[in-house]
Amino acid sequence: MAMILSFVLFFLLAQTIVGQTTSTTSFRVLPTVASWATIGVAQTPTVTNPNAVIAQDICPGYSLSNVQKTDRRLTGSLSINGSACNAYGRDYSNLTLTVYYDTETRLHVTIEDDDQAQYRIPDNLVNIPAPDPSVSNPAYSFEYNESPFEFWVTRNDGEVLFDTRGWKLVFETQYIELTTNMEEGYNVYGLGEVIHSLRLQENFTRTMWAKYV
């Protein structure tokens, strides 16, 4: 079961270290679910399956319209930008984009289907911190292109932290793909409900299965 796409950018989510090309970080991934929960149909990440459909090659992406802005919120409608590809399930034709500045150092971006049919983890389990009453000087800016829909998040010192330009959003009943460009020497922290060191190694690929929810 796919979940709606929702992520929060914190101050130290990603940063670039100039000149750094290798990583000395090592870790051993540990599962966070019981071994019996992994029994079932064999699961192979598309990146390691030479016969897998490459969604970026066949899916049309989305276009953004009906953009509404306030001092700390942006909303808009995402419509599929062509014929559905249905690569790994059924494409959602219409999505809702919501961007909200929770605090001066926390930007919250949510993309969900209009009917909210996709499963969403209950708020009482996620325990996302409450937003501040007001935000006067946010550390990040959210910028976008409408068609095809792309967005990038820039820190107020000019550093681009998240950048989907050049990649299409894929949002299906059983598959979600959101790609960000990464600079050489990048750092990524966290990602996925597994136990590991905080910083992930470079050129690292992780497939996040619904069973880890």
Side-chain angles (χ1 to χ4, degrees):
M1 179 182 296
M3 298 176 6
I4 67 161
L5 177 64
S6 179
F7 64 88
V8 181
L9 289 174
F10 290 91
F11 181 73
L12 290 178
L13 172 66
Q15 64 180 13
T16 301
I17 298 179
V18 178
Q20 180 177 334
T21 59
T22 60
S23 172
T24 59
T25 302
S26 62
F27 61 87
R28 180 169 60 91
V29 175
L30 299 176
T32 57
V33 296
S35 58
W36 58 262
T38 65
I39 299 174
V41 178
Q43 298 171 324
T44 303
T46 56
V47 292
T48 59
N49 181 1
N51 298 317
V53 173
I54 306 302
Q56 284 291 320
D57 292 344
I58 66 172
C59 295
Y62 289 82
S63 294
L64 177 65
S65 61
N66 302 322
V67 176
Q68 304 291 325
K69 297 180 181 180
T70 66
D71 57 343
R72 63 185 299 184
R73 179 189 296 271
L74 179 149
T75 61
S77 301
L78 291 169
S79 302
I80 197 164
N81 204 18
S83 300
C85 62
N86 300 323
Y88 298 101
R90 178 179 57 82
D91 285 276
Y92 284 98
S93 298
N94 299 294
L95 307 171
T96 298
L97 168 71
T98 304
V99 181
Y100 191 72
Y101 290 88
D102 284 352
T103 71
E104 292 187 351
T105 58
R106 191 171 77 237
L107 174 65
H108 196 161
V109 178
T110 301
I111 299 174
E112 58 188 337
D113 62 288
D114 279 3
D115 296 330
Q116 297 185 345
Q118 292 283 56
Y119 174 75
R120 184 168 188 168
I121 300 175
D123 292 342
N124 64 318
L125 296 181
V126 179
N127 194 29
I128 297 176
D132 288 349
S134 62
V135 173
S136 59
N137 185 29
Y140 309 112
S141 63
F142 179 91
E143 301 173 79
Y144 60 90
N145 291 325
E146 293 187 348
S147 184
F149 171 64
E150 307 165 321
F151 71 90
W152 58 102
V153 176
T154 306
R155 196 164 53 202
N156 54 15
D157 63 358
E159 180 107 27
V160 178
L161 302 181
F162 200 93
D163 184 0
T164 73
R165 284 175 289 186
W167 303 95
K168 291 174 285 189
L169 169 65
V170 183
F171 202 109
E172 300 182 340
T173 52
Q174 299 182 55
Y175 183 80
I176 295 173
E177 183 175 328
L178 180 69
T179 302
T180 179
N181 297 304
M182 304 296 290
E183 295 185 9
E184 184 178 1
Y186 64 82
N187 287 332
V188 174
Y189 299 89
L191 291 183
E193 297 300 323
V194 294
I195 300 172
H196 52 68
S197 60
L198 180 61
R199 181 178 183 270
L200 304 183
Q201 66 193 88
E202 294 184 28
N203 301 315
F204 178 73
T205 298
R206 163 161 295 153
T207 299
M208 290 179 281
W209 306 104
K211 69 181 182 180
Y212 291 123
V213 172

